[in-house]
Amino acid sequence: MTTIPTAHLNLPNDRWKPLEIVFWLLPIAAYFAFPGYLVLISQIMIIGLFALSLDLILGYAGIVSLGHAAFFGLGAYTAGLLAVHGWGEPLSGLLAGAVVAGIFGFIVSFLVVRGQDLTRLMVTLGICLMLHEAANKASWLTGGVDGLSGMMVGNLFGRFEFDLNGTVAFWYSFAVLFILFVVLRRLVKSPFGLSLIGIREGVRRMPSLGVNVNRRLIAIYTVSAVIAGVAGGLLAQTTQFVGLDSLGFPRSAELLIMLVLGGTGRLYGALIGAAVFMVAQDYISGLNPAYWQFYIGLLLVLIVLFARGGILGGLEKLAAGFKSKKEAA
């Protein structure tokens, strides 16, 4: 029996590259360089975490969704309602939001994984719209269109109070994002993560390798819902407000735009796409509040035309081209 030397196997490497370390040092540098924008930076990290959750199912497993805001909103309302009714401890509230979103994601996953792309789009969109309307009708519980306010979020670890400058919110969001990113990075590089890529590229071939496709898709969909719930809970706790738009279709659509901008199936693409979208939105809406969406659409079209695979995909192609020219010289 012949064996293949491990040196010849093209397996994912778990070692952190220098550029990855630099990437995670950027938020820390931004904390000192832009102290007046800590709230915006915190929200970028939270929405980046939300984008990561969609990248798990879209970029790695090939499950398209137009209703991922359902899990984000469930996490936000769970953490928010606990804080309104006297349970303001942040970490347990965050955990509760993750659990509720995960349970709902697990239930919904049985409907989603059975269909194909168009069916999945309609099912996820329909579920999101139903939750949005239910939250709107249950104004006695959620606040309806006025949103859920009056949240009393306690001190983090009993010591650090959430301040108006956003200092505690920044470090809280950064820590949660980094910890979950490390977990997800390990997940997508594991045999389980590789099997998801196999399902995305050739779903009909995977059963012949002994892979239970539906179980894998249900598992990753549930994990994705948990991450989205954590992101929703984070936003609720750091802003101490939950709006009805957290369950709205526009939030799901914006999430897809972020992934297209950054690039799917890379994890870092979700973070970069979220940062570019939110910075561009903040800057352009300040210049032209009425037509800022036009310029966001223009940016999206340019990315699709000239950087297929998103910003990260375009940078990878440029780096590969530069490397090939250097080797040829």
Side-chain angles (χ1 to χ4, degrees):
M1 180 177 179
T2 59
T3 58
I4 301 175
T6 56
H8 294 165
L9 295 176
N10 187 22
L11 295 176
N13 189 349
D14 278 343
R15 293 182 180 179
W16 289 75
K17 299 176 182 178
L19 282 178
E20 290 185 276
I21 298 173
V22 171
F23 180 89
W24 288 103
L25 289 176
L26 288 177
I28 300 175
Y31 173 82
F32 294 101
F34 306 103
Y37 292 89
L38 295 184
V39 174
L40 175 61
I41 298 171
S42 299
Q43 292 189 12
I44 289 174
M45 291 189 288
I46 293 169
I47 299 303
L49 180 62
F50 185 26
L52 278 176
S53 70
L54 182 60
D55 196 29
L56 284 178
I57 60 172
L58 178 60
Y60 286 91
I63 301 175
V64 291
S65 173
L66 277 177
H68 216 57
F71 311 115
F72 182 85
L74 280 174
Y77 274 109
T78 300
L81 287 169
L82 286 175
V84 167
H85 293 91
W87 190 268
E89 202 284 315
L91 294 178
S92 58
L94 204 62
L95 179 61
V99 170
V100 171
I103 292 173
F104 187 73
F106 176 73
I107 296 171
V108 169
S109 66
F110 290 91
L111 298 174
V112 175
V113 301
R114 289 187 176 184
Q116 298 301 317
D117 290 348
L118 184 59
T119 304
R120 289 168 176 172
L121 283 174
M122 294 300 100
V123 170
T124 53
L125 176 59
I127 291 170
C128 183
L129 293 176
M130 286 191 297
L131 280 181
H132 181 272
E133 189 59 28
N136 185 30
K137 292 293 184 181
S139 57
W140 56 272
L141 179 65
T142 64
V145 293
D146 295 325
L148 183 66
S149 56
M151 295 172 56
M152 298 295 293
V153 180
N155 295 349
L156 187 62
F157 300 118
R159 294 185 58 186
F160 305 104
E161 183 180 359
F162 287 91
D163 55 305
L164 294 177
N165 294 329
T167 303
V168 174
F170 172 90
W171 291 111
Y172 182 36
S173 303
F174 178 74
V176 173
L177 172 62
F178 181 73
I179 292 171
L180 289 180
F181 182 88
V182 171
V183 174
L184 296 180
R185 182 180 181 273
R186 187 63 182 270
L187 178 68
V188 298
K189 292 178 181 293
S190 68
F192 175 79
L194 295 178
S195 69
L196 293 177
I197 297 175
I199 291 171
R200 182 194 68 195
E201 298 297 329
V203 64
R204 294 182 180 179
R205 298 180 180 179
M206 293 305 289
S208 63
L209 300 177
V211 175
N212 190 317
V213 173
N214 282 349
R215 285 186 181 179
R216 299 290 172 101
L217 293 181
I218 289 171
I220 196 61
Y221 197 86
T222 304
V223 171
S224 174
V226 168
I227 301 299
V230 171
L234 262 181
L235 187 65
Q237 291 176 345
T238 54
T239 60
Q240 299 193 17
F241 177 80
V242 182
L244 193 59
D245 64 314
S246 63
L247 284 167
F249 167 71
R251 189 172 290 275
S252 296
E254 288 177 355
L255 201 64
L256 280 173
I257 294 174
M258 293 174 195
L259 282 183
V260 172
L261 286 175
T264 59
R266 293 177 174 87
L267 290 187
Y268 282 104
L271 300 179
I272 292 173
V276 169
F277 179 87
M278 294 195 67
V279 170
Q281 182 186 44
D282 183 72
Y283 179 74
I284 297 174
S285 62
L287 296 177
N288 195 331
Y291 300 105
W292 66 269
Q293 291 179 328
F294 169 82
Y295 297 101
I296 294 291
L298 179 62
L299 175 63
L300 182 64
V301 170
L302 292 175
I303 291 293
V304 171
L305 288 177
F306 300 105
R308 292 190 177 183
I311 295 172
L312 203 57
L315 292 175
E316 288 176 353
K317 290 179 182 178
L318 287 176
F322 178 78
K323 184 179 180 180
S324 61
K325 288 182 179 179
K326 188 176 179 180
E327 290 176 351

